[in-house]
Amino acid sequence: MRVVLALETPASADAIAAAIDVERGLAADAPAAGRTSADAVREVLRRMASDGRVTAMRPFQWHDHRVRVPGRWDNTDWWWPTHKWDELRNARSRRRSSGPTFGAPASDRRRQPPEKSDVAKAVDRVIAANDAHYQAHKNDFGSSGY
């Protein structure tokens, strides 16, 4: 399962089976009988997961953990070597624990609201302009006399 342990991002069992076929040198138009079965790959992945060598999550779960999940998402488990997942988590926790290296102290930064994007600033300007227009014209009765 050299292919699984070399994965740079989580992948589905179908994608892993295709990668195994590529490593075996099978052409894309090879007969289905000679191809690696995704079910066989899933079975091996389940055994590897029970040994703690791979981690399986749905694509949205990987994404929620801020792991890049390329390609089309489906409703199956996507697999990734546990050691790579652990390395990523450890690197993130080291960055968090080392604290900021520039700017205001962390305690000041937590109290300040994040800077607004250009789009948010433009929306605020439009809202303010609309409100000013309403305030300027709210007592206008027009020609109907109301």
Side-chain angles (χ1 to χ4, degrees), residues 8 11 16 19 30 35 39 49 52 54 61-62 70 77 79 82 84 88 95-96 98 109 113 125 127-128 133 138:
E8 292 301 317
I16 294 169
R35 293 178 164 242
D39 290 334
V54 294
Q61 292 170 313
W62 284 114
D77 286 336
W79 306 82
T82 302
K84 289 189 178 185
L88 180 69
R95 275 184 274 166
R96 272 188 231 119
S98 67
R109 215 177 294 123
R125 284 192 302 270
I127 290 171
H133 181 79
K138 69 181 180 182

Side-chain angles (χ1 to χ4, degrees), residues 4-9 80-89:
V4 175
L5 297 176
L7 290 173
E8 292 301 317
T9 58
W80 204 28
T82 302
H83 73 276
K84 289 189 178 185
W85 174 223
D86 290 340
E87 288 171 9
L88 180 69
R89 283 188 306 197

Side-chain angles (χ1 to χ4, degrees), residues 2-102:
R2 210 172 35 250
V3 170
V4 175
L5 297 176
L7 290 173
E8 292 301 317
T9 58
S12 67
D14 293 324
I16 294 169
I20 291 169
D21 288 344
V22 167
E23 186 169 295
R24 289 175 47 209
L26 289 179
D29 59 349
R35 293 178 164 242
T36 304
S37 160
D39 290 334
V41 169
R42 263 187 223 91
E43 187 59 39
V44 171
L45 289 168
R46 286 185 188 116
R47 278 187 266 140
M48 290 176 75
S50 69
D51 294 339
R53 297 188 325 188
V54 294
T55 301
M57 284 191 258
R58 300 288 165 95
F60 73 88
Q61 292 170 313
W62 284 114
H63 181 75
D64 288 349
H65 286 292
R66 296 182 303 157
V67 174
R68 187 173 87 72
V69 184
R72 189 182 61 119
W73 293 7
D74 57 13
N75 245 0
T76 62
D77 286 336
W78 282 39
W79 306 82
W80 204 28
T82 302
H83 73 276
K84 289 189 178 185
W85 174 223
D86 290 340
E87 288 171 9
L88 180 69
R89 283 188 306 197
N90 291 338
R92 285 182 182 156
S93 76
R94 278 192 303 272
R95 275 184 274 166
R96 272 188 231 119
S97 66
S98 67
T101 56
F102 59 88

